[in-house]
Amino acid sequence: MSSLFISSAQAADGGGLLANPTVLQFAPMLFIFVVFYFLLIRPQQQRQRKLREEQGALRRGDKIVTAGGIVGVVQATRDGSDEVDVEIAQGVRVKIVRSTITNIVSRDKAANDS
């Protein structure tokens, strides 16, 4: 009978956090989520925030590219409106929604001439 008590006393551990098998089971998933957050989710959120700021700060003369691949020059913007007047060819003006703009090349930036 005394050997029964001795074996159970030797098998008992300190009972720390890492001794819990369920914590160890979820640790790799937690690590993967943290890696995904810092490598994928957070940079994408920062790019979206920057694009929204650029869309809000559009001005006449900015060269833009829409989600459909149309390249044009901003002719008029209206405060409080989602629409922007864009000239896509000489004398051809269209109204587009700001959220469809995917790339903005400011008129101050030089185009790649090489």
Side-chain angles (χ1 to χ4, degrees):
M1 182 93 160
S2 66
S3 65
L4 178 67
F5 293 119
I6 293 173
S7 64
S8 63
Q10 290 174 349
D13 59 337
L17 180 65
L18 294 178
N20 192 351
T22 57
V23 173
L24 288 176
Q25 189 175 14
F26 290 112
M29 290 179 17
L30 181 65
F31 177 73
I32 289 170
F33 177 75
V34 169
V35 168
F36 268 90
Y37 178 77
F38 283 108
L39 293 180
L40 298 173
I41 298 170
R42 189 166 180 257
Q44 178 65 25
Q45 288 175 342
Q46 290 175 341
R47 281 191 297 264
Q48 287 176 345
R49 186 178 311 119
K50 182 182 175 208
L51 181 61
R52 278 192 305 258
E53 290 172 2
E54 289 177 348
Q55 288 171 347
L58 277 176
R59 60 187 179 140
R60 188 170 196 261
D62 287 346
K63 189 173 182 180
I64 62 163
V65 179
T66 66
I70 297 173
V71 179
V73 178
V74 175
Q75 295 299 315
T77 61
R78 292 172 200 81
D79 290 336
S81 175
D82 260 355
E83 295 178 349
V84 178
D85 289 338
V86 177
E87 186 174 30
I88 57 175
Q90 189 172 2
V92 179
R93 281 188 173 186
V94 294
K95 288 184 182 181
I96 63 166
V97 179
R98 285 183 196 256
S99 62
T100 62
I101 298 171
T102 58
N103 193 8
I104 301 166
V105 181
S106 180
R107 63 180 168 172
D108 299 334
K109 294 182 183 175
N112 190 3
D113 293 330
S114 44

